[in-house]
Amino acid sequence: MFGRGGHIPGGAGTYTTAAPRRHVRTGCSGFLRTLVARGYGFFGAVLLATLELGQDRHLTCQFMETLRTLRPVRRTLLRETAYEAIRDAIVRGEIPPGTPVRDADLAERLGLSRAPVREALSRLSGEGLVESKPQSYTRVTRLVPRDVRDAAAVVRAMHELAARTAVSRLTDADLAAMREANDAFRDAARRGDVAEALRADDRLHDVLVIACDNCAVAATVERYTPLIRRLEWRQFGTASAAHGSAELHDRLIEACAARDTDAAVRITAEIWRALEELADDPSEECSA
């Protein structure tokens, strides 16, 4: 990586191999203590121990240079990891409605500390997937048809607005992405892969949400969609419903390609209104 009397890549000045070992230890230790303070706890501690034990300075400084390219794992990423894992388990029904949840159990299962799990549960509570009573319980909410219907109405309105704004802005690449997503949706539905079908459905509709370039629309869709996902999961679990959705997607893409904004908005409303009607289905209330 560097030779005798050469420059350390990315460093300042000249590294002289004849320098007393204690000088190397002192300089590198200071740098690594800074790394520890900035969040490189594990790596910094290991290398600091190596230095204090007086191991080979060339190998140590090579590790030190490697560390310069790393970035600390941010706390927000752990929180997102916990949030997405717990949310998806609730949506898929792996954690059924009414099930008590404990942050300690979830943290152990996810291999995380309790802090990001608590933050994730707080966010899920705000989204209506989890409910808590101080000093009593935290549990997955039951499917309440009115709540799901209200959320579906809001999501539908946001997607209608996205379509009305986005159609005239769509590029050929956007239309190709929508077709590719619908092909993946149809294939996943045929194989019975509900998770992939929902991901493909997201990719298709996200094209319009992104193209509309409205942060409020995107945030609202993200905020309320998880509440209706449990019903979406059941809906797309049937071949007939999935086939009907794919056909509606085809019509939506055709309208977008023709730059027919009114038709695109009308079809978008039809797609999302189906979820409102599903929330009114008595069988869904009983199964919750």
Side-chain angles (χ1 to χ4, degrees):
M1 191 169 183
F2 52 84
R4 295 178 60 86
H7 290 274
I8 301 176
T14 301
Y15 180 92
T16 304
T17 56
R21 181 180 297 272
R22 62 184 179 84
H23 290 169
V24 175
R25 266 207 303 272
T26 301
C28 291
S29 296
F31 174 73
L32 291 172
R33 286 193 177 93
T34 300
L35 286 177
V36 173
R38 291 178 58 188
Y40 297 95
F42 175 76
F43 292 106
V46 170
L47 290 181
L48 186 59
T50 302
L51 287 166
E52 295 297 341
L53 291 172
Q55 299 298 320
D56 182 80
R57 61 176 176 267
H58 292 284
L59 181 59
T60 299
C61 287
Q62 285 177 348
F63 274 121
M64 184 178 71
E65 287 302 313
T66 299
L67 281 179
R68 292 182 189 275
T69 66
L70 299 179
R71 295 292 180 271
V73 176
R74 294 182 299 159
R75 181 184 181 81
T76 53
L77 294 180
L78 297 178
R79 181 177 59 208
E80 280 297 312
T81 297
Y83 165 76
E84 291 175 2
I86 300 169
R87 178 202 63 194
D88 291 348
I90 293 173
V91 168
R92 291 191 297 261
E94 295 169 3
I95 308 178
T99 301
V101 291
R102 297 178 62 250
D103 56 6
D105 295 336
L106 291 170
E108 181 178 0
R109 181 70 181 86
L110 295 172
L112 299 172
S113 67
R114 295 172 67 176
V117 171
R118 288 197 193 102
E119 293 170 9
L121 290 175
S122 176
R123 180 174 172 183
L124 290 166
S125 178
E127 293 178 353
L129 291 179
V130 168
E131 59 185 358
S132 300
K133 182 177 180 181
Q135 308 301 321
S136 181
Y137 62 79
T138 298
R139 65 191 178 197
V140 176
T141 56
R142 297 188 179 278
L143 285 170
V144 180
R146 180 178 177 179
D147 292 346
V148 177
R149 185 172 56 251
D150 290 347
V154 170
V155 171
R156 171 175 57 81
M158 293 299 100
H159 279 289
E160 288 180 35
L161 177 57
R164 185 171 299 281
T165 306
V167 168
S168 62
R169 303 177 179 178
L170 295 175
T171 65
D172 290 343
D174 291 329
L175 294 170
M178 293 177 73
R179 292 189 181 98
E180 181 180 350
N182 198 33
D183 288 342
F185 173 87
R186 185 179 276 109
D187 180 65
R190 185 167 49 248
R191 292 184 285 103
D193 188 342
V194 181
E196 179 54 34
L198 286 176
R199 284 192 290 268
D201 185 69
D202 278 342
R203 292 196 298 273
L204 188 151
H205 293 288
D206 281 349
V207 171
L208 295 171
V209 171
I210 293 170
C212 87
D213 196 26
N214 186 320
C215 294
V217 167
T220 304
V221 167
E222 182 180 10
R223 163 67 175 79
Y224 287 101
T225 296
L227 189 61
I228 63 177
R229 281 297 173 84
R230 286 181 283 182
L231 287 183
E232 286 187 275
W233 187 270
R234 297 178 186 184
Q235 181 192 36
F236 291 136
T238 65
S240 60
H243 176 75
S245 295
E247 293 301 316
L248 284 172
H249 291 162
D250 285 333
R251 289 169 50 198
L252 174 61
I253 295 168
E254 290 173 5
C256 290
R259 309 301 177 187
D260 189 340
T261 299
D262 290 339
V265 172
R266 186 169 59 252
I267 297 166
T268 296
E270 186 176 350
I271 291 171
W272 293 99
R273 190 173 288 116
L275 290 173
E276 296 176 58
E277 295 171 356
L278 186 65
D280 290 327
D281 186 345
S283 64
E284 293 299 331
E285 184 172 8
C286 292
S287 65

